[in-house]
Amino acid sequence: MPIAGILTGGGDAPGLNAVIRAVVRRLEPEGWRVVGILYGWRGLLERQTVELDAQSTSGILHVGGTVLHTSRTNPYKSPDDAQRLEANVRALRLDALVAIGGEDTLGVANRLAEAGFPVVGVPKTIDNDLPGTEITFGFDTAVSIATEAIDRLHTTAASHDRVIVVEVMGRHAGWIALHAGVAGGADYILVPEQPVDLEAVAEAVRRRRQRGKRFSIIVVAEGAKLGDSEVVQEGPQDEFGHGKLGGIGERVAREIERRTGAETRSVVLGHVQRGGSPTAFDRMLASRYGVLAAELVLQGRFGTMAAVRDGRLQAVPLREAARGLRTVPEELLKFARVFFA
Ligand code: F6P
C-alpha cells in the first residue's frame, strides 16, 4: 500500500484542516495510507506521526488551526538535521509528501524535491505573499476578521473624536492592510511596499478634521518600514531568520498625536487574524488545493505545487514558491489612494 505523508509548517492559517481532510478524502479510496507528520518539519526530524483516515479527519473542515500542529523548524539550518530529514523520509517509506506552508516551509519542500524526493506543495499564508499563486488560503479569513475589527473601531473612534491606528499582519507585503483597509473604509493605509510618510498621514487626519470629520482610522501593516527598517520586538529570530514584528502601530499613533494634536490610540489585531473558523471562501479554496495536491500525488507529478493562475486552479513548479515574495503592485496601491482622506 503506498504511503503519503502530510505536514503543516510555519504560522497556522484558517483552512489548514480543510486541506488535510481533502487530501485524505481523495487518496484513501485510491488505496493510499495517509500519515500525518506532527509539528511540520520538526515532526519529520523526530518521526512524530499519526495515522489519518476519513474517520479521524471527519469534523475538522470548519475548525481553525491545524490538527497536525505546526512549527517554524528549519531542517536545512544544520547539515546533520538535513541528513536526518532525508533519512526519515526514506525510513517512513513515504511514496509522497504533501507539504502545506508558506515561503519557508515550501522553500524546504523545494530543496527536498530538488534532492529527488516525491514532494507536492500547497500554498498557505494569511499574508497572501507567496509567489507562484494568485491567492493563498487563510487570507480571506484574515481580511474578514480585520475588516470587522475596523468596522467596530469606527464607532468608538467616532464617539471619542479619536484617531485609531490599527496594526494588522503582513510581514513583507501589505495585502491584508490594503484589502481590509479599503473594505473597512480606512482613511490611510500604510504597507511594507512603500516607505511610511508620517507627514502625509498627519495631513490626511488634518484634512478630515477640517471637513468636520473629527475621527480617523489608519491601517498599518506590521511590516511597514519607518526609515529603512521594520519595527521589531525584542527576542530571538526564528530558524528562518525572521524577527518578531510588532509596534509600528503605536509608533505611528504617537507621531500622529504629536503632529496633529488629535487624541490617538493604537490597536494590534495580531493573532486574532489567524485564529478561529475559516470563511466559506477559504474552506472551498483549501479543499480545492487539497484535492489537486492529491491528484498530483496520484499522477506522480512531484516537485509541483497546487496554485491559482489566471484565476484557474492548476499545478505550477514548486520552485516558483521559493522565488522571493509577491508584493502588492503599484496599480492596486494607486487604487487604494483614491479613498485616502
Ligand atoms: O507569516 C504569517 C504571519 O502571520 C506574519 O504576518 C506574522 O509576522 C507572523 O506570521 C507571526 O508569526 P508568529 O506566529 O510566529 O508570531
Side-chain angles (χ1 to χ4, degrees), residues 110-151:
N110 185 48
R111 283 185 71 167
L112 257 185
E114 281 176 349
F117 290 89
V119 184
V120 165
V122 176
K124 166 245 58 166
T125 165
I126 66 162
D127 289 0
N128 201 35
D129 58 358
L130 200 77
T133 186
E134 283 157 18
I135 187 154
T136 52
F137 70 86
F139 172 63
D140 184 69
T141 307
V143 168
S144 303
I145 294 167
T147 304
E148 196 206 322
I150 294 167
D151 286 349

Side-chain angles (χ1 to χ4, degrees), residues 257-278:
E257 186 164 283
R258 191 182 71 76
R259 290 180 192 228
T260 65
E263 195 186 0
T264 305
R265 296 282 189 272
S266 72
V267 175
V268 181
L269 297 188
H271 295 80
V272 168
Q273 294 159 97
R274 286 207 329 229
S277 227

Side-chain angles (χ1 to χ4, degrees), residues 9-10 99-110 120-137 139 170-175 193 242 289 304-309 316-328:
I100 315 170
E103 41 155 345
D104 299 327
T105 305
L106 294 186
V108 172
N110 185 48
V120 165
V122 176
K124 166 245 58 166
T125 165
I126 66 162
D127 289 0
N128 201 35
D129 58 358
L130 200 77
T133 186
E134 283 157 18
I135 187 154
T136 52
F137 70 86
F139 172 63
R171 189 189 283 277
H172 310 288
W175 291 103
E193 286 81 353
H242 305 304
Y289 275 153
T304 57
M305 172 177 87
V308 172
R309 220 18 117 63
V316 300
L318 185 51
R319 64 176 172 277
E320 292 198 16
R323 242 182 230 156
L325 290 157
R326 202 175 62 90
T327 51
V328 179

Side-chain angles (χ1 to χ4, degrees), residues 31-324:
W32 282 67
R33 186 177 140 211
V34 185
V35 173
I37 291 146
L38 300 175
Y39 297 99
W41 298 116
R42 193 173 100 204
L44 209 42
L45 292 177
E46 297 171 356
R47 286 220 231 162
Q48 288 199 66
T49 61
V50 62
E51 291 295 319
L52 295 176
D53 56 24
Q55 183 72 19
S56 64
T57 55
S58 160
I60 64 170
L61 168 65
H62 65 288
V63 181
T66 161
V67 292
L68 293 178
H69 301 270
T70 186
S71 72
R72 293 195 187 273
T73 301
N74 180 1
Y76 283 114
K77 228 181 127 208
S78 93
D80 279 359
D81 281 355
Q83 238 176 27
R84 191 141 50 98
L85 177 83
E86 298 183 1
N88 282 347
V89 177
R90 286 189 205 100
L92 290 167
R93 303 208 323 275
L94 300 182
D95 298 292
L97 175 62
V98 177
I100 315 170
E103 41 155 345
D104 299 327
T105 305
L106 294 186
V108 172
N110 185 48
R111 283 185 71 167
L112 257 185
E114 281 176 349
F117 290 89
V119 184
V120 165
V122 176
K124 166 245 58 166
T125 165
I126 66 162
D127 289 0
N128 201 35
D129 58 358
L130 200 77
T133 186
E134 283 157 18
I135 187 154
T136 52
F137 70 86
F139 172 63
D140 184 69
T141 307
V143 168
S144 303
I145 294 167
T147 304
E148 196 206 322
I150 294 167
D151 286 349
R152 287 176 184 277
L153 291 168
H154 260 94
T155 60
T156 172
S159 304
H160 288 264
D161 289 351
R162 281 174 178 158
V163 176
I164 297 190
V165 180
V166 193
E167 181 180 310
V168 299
M169 279 189 169
R171 189 189 283 277
H172 310 288
W175 291 103
I176 298 177
L178 186 114
H179 281 239
V182 171
D187 302 300
Y188 211 99
I189 302 168
L190 298 164
V191 293
E193 286 81 353
Q194 287 186 328
V196 169
D197 182 347
L198 289 166
E199 190 43 36
V201 184
E203 196 43 41
V205 169
R206 286 187 208 108
R207 264 200 306 273
R208 260 176 76 80
R209 286 162 81 85
Q210 274 156 16
R211 291 206 312 262
K213 293 280 189 185
R214 312 272 322 150
F215 75 96
S216 294
I217 300 285
I218 314 300
V219 174
V220 56
E222 61 178 356
K225 294 176 195 71
L226 276 181
D228 279 343
S229 49
E230 298 147 341
V231 179
V232 287
Q233 297 178 41
E234 276 181 24
Q237 293 184 335
D238 70 18
E239 294 193 6
F240 289 92
H242 305 304
K244 207 191 285 175
L245 295 179
I248 177 99
E250 181 55 24
R251 296 271 290 274
V252 170
R254 267 189 269 138
E255 200 49 38
I256 296 308
E257 186 164 283
R258 191 182 71 76
R259 290 180 192 228
T260 65
E263 195 186 0
T264 305
R265 296 282 189 272
S266 72
V267 175
V268 181
L269 297 188
H271 295 80
V272 168
Q273 294 159 97
R274 286 207 329 229
S277 227
T279 57
F281 180 90
D282 274 336
R283 293 179 205 189
M284 179 69 178
L285 181 63
S287 299
R288 292 195 74 195
Y289 275 153
V291 169
L292 176 56
E295 298 289 351
L296 294 172
V297 167
L298 293 171
Q299 293 163 17
R301 291 173 67 193
F302 299 115
T304 57
M305 172 177 87
V308 172
R309 220 18 117 63
D310 301 323
R312 224 171 43 81
L313 198 72
Q314 54 189 288
V316 300
L318 185 51
R319 64 176 172 277
E320 292 198 16
R323 242 182 230 156

